Amino acid sequence: MNQGLIPSRYAKALIEYAAEKGEEKRLFDFMKTLAASFEAQPGLMKVMANPFVAPADKERLLMTAAGAVNDASDGVFTRFTRLLTANNRLDLSRDIALAYMKQYRRDHAIRLVTVTSAAPLEKTEEERLKKIIAGHLGGDTMEYRNSVDPDLIGGFVITIDNEKLDASVANELKQLRLKLLN
C-alpha cells in the first residue's frame, strides 16, 4: 500500500472523529505542534521507527511532542496515539499529522502563506504585504509565516500553498543569466 495513502486515510478518519467530538481545531493545533517537533528534532522520526523502543514510550513521546496531556481534555489525541500503537503505525505519526493539517486547511479554506525576504521586514512593510496577500486570497483565511534568507540578496519570495511569486534579486539575476546564455 502507498505510504501517502495510509496517512491520508488516517487523517480523514481522524478529522471526522474530531469533528464529531467538537475537537477539530484543538487537534489541528496538536498536529501543528507535533509537525514542528518532528522538524525541530529529526531524531524523533528515528525513535518512532525504532523497534527497540517500547510502544508505550513512543506514545508518551508523541503526547509530549504534540503538547498534549494524557487526560480527558486531550482524549481525541490520546485515542489517536493508542490507535496508532494498536495498529503498529506510530512510525507514520508525522505523515499523518501533515495529512491532517492539509485536510483541515482545505476543509476550512486556510491558505498557508510563507514570505521569505533577504532581510527582516519592517512592521509597516509586513502589514502592507499581508493586506495585499489577503486581497489575493479572496476571503480565505491566511496562516502566515515569515523567514529570512540572505541568499535572496534583496526582495522577497511569497509562497501561497503551491503557488510561488519570486520577486528576489537572486531570481532576477538568474533570469538575466539565462537570457544571456540563450
Side-chain angles (χ1 to χ4, degrees):
M1 197 176 255
N2 184 339
Q3 283 291 74
L5 185 59
I6 294 170
S8 295
R9 287 183 177 171
Y10 272 89
K12 184 178 179 188
L14 184 58
I15 225 165
E16 289 173 8
Y17 179 70
E20 285 175 19
K21 299 294 183 185
E23 294 286 323
E24 230 178 340
K25 170 69 171 114
R26 185 170 170 79
L27 198 58
F28 176 69
D29 293 337
F30 285 143
M31 294 302 189
K32 279 183 12 180
T33 304
L34 183 60
S37 295
F38 274 109
E39 190 174 321
Q41 299 293 329
L44 186 56
M45 198 67 209
K46 292 176 185 172
V47 172
M48 289 297 131
N50 188 336
F52 297 107
V53 177
D57 292 338
K58 291 179 184 181
E59 267 187 52
R60 282 192 298 277
L61 188 57
L62 275 182
M63 296 292 288
T64 302
V69 180
N70 193 1
D71 64 7
S73 66
D74 300 332
V76 174
F77 190 79
T78 302
R79 290 195 67 187
F80 163 67
T81 58
R82 289 185 181 144
L83 178 69
L84 293 182
T85 301
N87 293 337
N88 198 24
R89 298 285 191 199
L90 285 167
D91 59 324
L92 295 176
S93 54
R94 176 188 167 270
D95 296 332
I96 295 168
L98 294 174
Y100 183 93
M101 292 180 342
K102 182 179 179 180
Q103 182 69 42
Y104 182 88
R105 286 183 182 118
R106 187 179 316 126
D107 292 351
H108 293 87
I110 299 171
R111 307 287 298 274
L112 186 58
V113 176
T114 305
V115 175
T116 307
S117 58
L121 296 172
E122 292 181 17
K123 285 290 181 199
T124 54
E125 291 175 325
E126 191 170 23
E127 290 304 316
R128 193 170 133 236
L129 198 53
K130 281 182 181 179
K131 284 182 185 176
I132 292 169
I133 294 168
H136 175 74
L137 296 179
D140 287 356
T141 305
M142 172 178 18
E143 189 176 314
Y144 180 85
R145 298 181 193 167
N146 65 349
S147 62
V148 175
D149 181 1
D151 290 342
L152 295 179
I153 303 170
F156 54 87
V157 176
I158 300 173
T159 307
I160 302 173
D161 296 330
N162 294 327
E163 187 181 340
K164 187 174 191 177
L165 168 68
D166 193 339
S168 66
V169 173
N171 185 54
E172 293 296 324
L173 291 172
K174 178 181 167 188
Q175 297 302 318
L176 182 61
R177 191 172 331 143
L178 289 172
K179 283 181 184 178
L180 290 174
L181 290 174
N182 288 331

